[in-house]
């Protein structure tokens, strides 16, 4: 007997749906894949609330009609509206109980998935599929009644032509399951604050993961090799890529409208041994620009000593301020904050970036376009003829750009720039590798900031813990030294999507060059000597900064070890 058949209970003496109709519909659905509710509606002539009442009579589930369902409040913190629309179910709250409302009682996979996802006890109810869809759409309209008009207005003014609107109402109205799956995944990622969506083809399954707070979080695994191909093909169609080409990587873009603003998606398709994978980078420039308005260095999370010295370095009349760290560590945001604080309107500020991530008022921002020959080096030469006072170079990648940036700093300009390195001392080796003259480099350089972004413990589910002795030892600490520390961790909740972390803050390792350090660098002193001089001059290492957060219970030892190496 199948799992669906096990749900069948004896009906009343005059059942609305006979056992014969139910069993034949179950058998045909299992054999042909056609939805059981469609078969029951066709064979019984019942639809909507009538079909739901008939199913409730057979399965002994309580039933909710349209008005009863509409009178209840949604629990979107337990099951997000996008996932609810995608799976055809919703969780609502009635007094102190949570009701899981489904339209298909034979889909036992939905029940198992919800019970794993939601820690709260659930009372199961039935409702017509149309009533569930209308309920989700109604609350989405209540939350944002002007969505459609706003998105249409944004699409009319946005460059790049037509823009597809994205809302729960449009997702529910999608007739194609594949389109609904892709759109609901994108919608849910936007609501969750993800920076990337990973669609990964695995043997016979599609895995969906979001990058949130810099870490990949598993969202769902959906079965079916055909589903993988169809989802990737849908993404290719949206990005105007070749759906027939599956052997080479492809890159594209598409645009969607959400809540009155256009959102760009940068798409990368990569062939793999199991098919193709896709990564969608979310570029919500309008939202980022709003967040960056009035951005200041003291809002990024650095400790006050680092902030004060950064502010002094960003107000110098000339020289170079270098920020280093891995991709996604917030280097550009730090430079934008430094520029915003010092932008009084009396200086000419020009940036060259790849790409321009968000717009700064009163600043000339130039995007790199290597296809047209506009590289960092060529753009930087042109900027120098534009009479700038302050220059930001998005990244130093090659010796030519490095030489021009250093010459700019030596000839009366204040240069902000980034370079990829692990810490402030590795930066010196990077420039030496690019064959930059050490004397000119240290003469131009005012300071180097190495930074990381650290996930913070979720305040909604934080609890005091005592870390294992092994973890403390692996972290280079000793139990007597950490007795007064406040160790906290997040147990995982709906607010943090079960990760235990919510939000990030920056930590920094700032090296301000003085004459003694400059002399040691020119003389090629070993890294150990440079570190001793830096600490003597007041520099705090990244490891010290992150352990301070651990001691205050703001992050965990596990996160500290993930982000920084032992000093």
């Amino acid at each position: 007997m199948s799992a669906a058949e096990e749900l069948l209970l004896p009906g009343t003496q005059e059942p609305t749906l006979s056992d014969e109709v139910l069993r034949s519909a179950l058998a045909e659905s299992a054999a042909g894949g056609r939805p059981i509710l469609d078969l029951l509606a066709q064979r019984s002539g019942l639809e909507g609330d009538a079909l739901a009442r008939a199913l409730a009579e057979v399965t002994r589930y309580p039933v909710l009609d349209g008005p009863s369902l509409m009178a209840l409040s949604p629990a979107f913190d337990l099951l997000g509206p996008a996932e609810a629309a995608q799976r055809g179910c919703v969780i609502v709250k009635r007094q102190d109980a949570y009701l899981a409302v489904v339209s298909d009682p034979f889909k036992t996979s939905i029940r198992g998935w919800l019970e794993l996802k939601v820690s709260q006890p659930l009372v199961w109810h039935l409702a017509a599929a149309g009533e569930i869809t209308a309920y989700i759409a109604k609350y989405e309209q209540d939350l944002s009644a002007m969505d459609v008009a706003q998105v249409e207005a944004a699409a009319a003014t946005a460059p790049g032509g037509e823009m597809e609107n994205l809302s729960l109402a449009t997702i529910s109205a999608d007739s194609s399951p594949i389109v609904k799956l892709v759109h609901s995944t994108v919608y849910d990622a936007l609501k969750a604050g993800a920076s990337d969506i990973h669609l990964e083809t695995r043997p016979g399954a599609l895995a969906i993961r979001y990058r949130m707070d810099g870490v990949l979080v598993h969202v769902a695994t959906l079965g079916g090799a055909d589903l993988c191909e169809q989802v990737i093909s849908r993404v290719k169609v949206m990005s105007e890529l070749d759906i027939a080409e599956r052997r080479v990587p492809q890159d594209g873009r598409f645009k969607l409208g959400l809540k009155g603003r256009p959102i760009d998606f940068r798409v990368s398709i990569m062939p793999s041994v199991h098919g193709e994978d896709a990564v969608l980078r979310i570029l919500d420039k309008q939202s980022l620009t709003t967040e960056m308005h009035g951005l200041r260095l003291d809002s990024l999370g650095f400790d006050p000593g680092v902030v004060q010295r950064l502010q002094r370095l960003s107000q110098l009349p000339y020289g170079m301020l270098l920020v280093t760290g891995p991709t996604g560590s917030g280097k550009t945001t730090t430079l934008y904050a430094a520029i915003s604080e010092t932008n009084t309107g009396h200086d000419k500020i020009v940036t060259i970036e790849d790409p321009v991530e968000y717009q700064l008022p009163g600043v000339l921002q130039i995007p790199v376009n290597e296809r047209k020959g506009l590289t960092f080096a060529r753009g930087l030469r042109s900027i120098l003829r534009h009479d700038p006072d302050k220059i930001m170079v998005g990244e130093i990648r090659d010796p030519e750009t490095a030489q021009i940036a250093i010459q700019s700093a030596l000839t009366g300009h204040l240069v902000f720039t980034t370079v990829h390195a692990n810490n402030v001392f590795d930066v010196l080796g990077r420039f030496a590798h690019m064959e930059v003259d050490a004397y000119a480099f240290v003469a131009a350089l005012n300071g180097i900031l190495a930074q990381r972004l650290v996930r913070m413990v979720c305040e909604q589910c934080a609890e005091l813990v005592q870390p294992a002795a092994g973890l403390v030892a692996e972290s280079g600490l000793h139990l007597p030294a950490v007795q007064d520390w406040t160790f906290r961790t997040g147990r995982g909740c709906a607010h943090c999507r079960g990760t235990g972390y919510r939000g990030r803050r920056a930590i920094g390792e700032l090296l301000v060059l003085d004459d003694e350090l400059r002399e040691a660098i020119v003389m090629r002193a070993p890294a150990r000597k440079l570190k001793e001089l830096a600490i003597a001059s007041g520099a705090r290492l990244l490891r010290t900064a992150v352990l301070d957060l651990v001691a205050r219970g703001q992050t965990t030892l596990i996160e500290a070890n993930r982000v920084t190496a032992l000093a």
Side-chain angles (χ1 to χ4, degrees), residues 173-186:
D174 286 332
S175 58
S176 167
I178 299 301
V179 174
K180 182 177 290 189
L181 172 61
V182 173
H183 284 184
S184 61
T185 299
V186 170

Side-chain angles (χ1 to χ4, degrees), residues 469-530:
L471 177 60
V472 173
E474 291 172 7
S475 305
L477 302 170
H478 303 285
L479 283 175
V482 299
Q483 286 181 348
D484 297 332
W485 288 20
T486 303
F487 291 100
R488 294 198 309 163
T489 188
R491 65 179 179 273
C493 64
H495 186 66
C496 61
R497 297 180 73 94
T499 63
Y501 299 95
R502 181 72 176 182
R504 291 187 290 178
R505 65 177 290 178
I507 57 170
E509 175 180 281
L510 180 60
L511 178 66
V512 179
L513 270 72
D514 55 21
D515 291 340
E516 191 174 7
L517 270 170
R518 287 190 170 94
E519 182 179 350
I521 294 171
V522 172
M523 299 300 294
R524 299 188 181 278
R528 177 183 55 79
K529 177 65 174 176
L530 294 176

Side-chain angles (χ1 to χ4, degrees), residues 17 37-38 40-41 44 46-56 126:
L17 292 173
L37 295 185
D38 290 352
L40 289 174
S44 67
L46 299 174
E47 295 181 351
D49 285 340
L51 179 59
R53 288 195 299 271
L55 287 171
L126 276 181

Side-chain angles (χ1 to χ4, degrees), residues 441-462:
F441 177 52
V442 298
L445 191 60
N446 294 331
I448 308 172
L449 172 71
Q451 74 174 67
R452 300 289 189 276
L453 292 178
V454 181
R455 293 185 296 168
M456 309 305 289
V457 172
C458 174
E459 294 297 334
Q460 300 294 321
C461 61

Side-chain angles (χ1 to χ4, degrees), residues 58-75:
V58 173
T59 61
R60 305 303 189 199
Y61 275 26
V63 68
L64 292 172
D65 58 15
S68 300
L69 180 59
M70 288 293 182
L72 300 175
S73 301

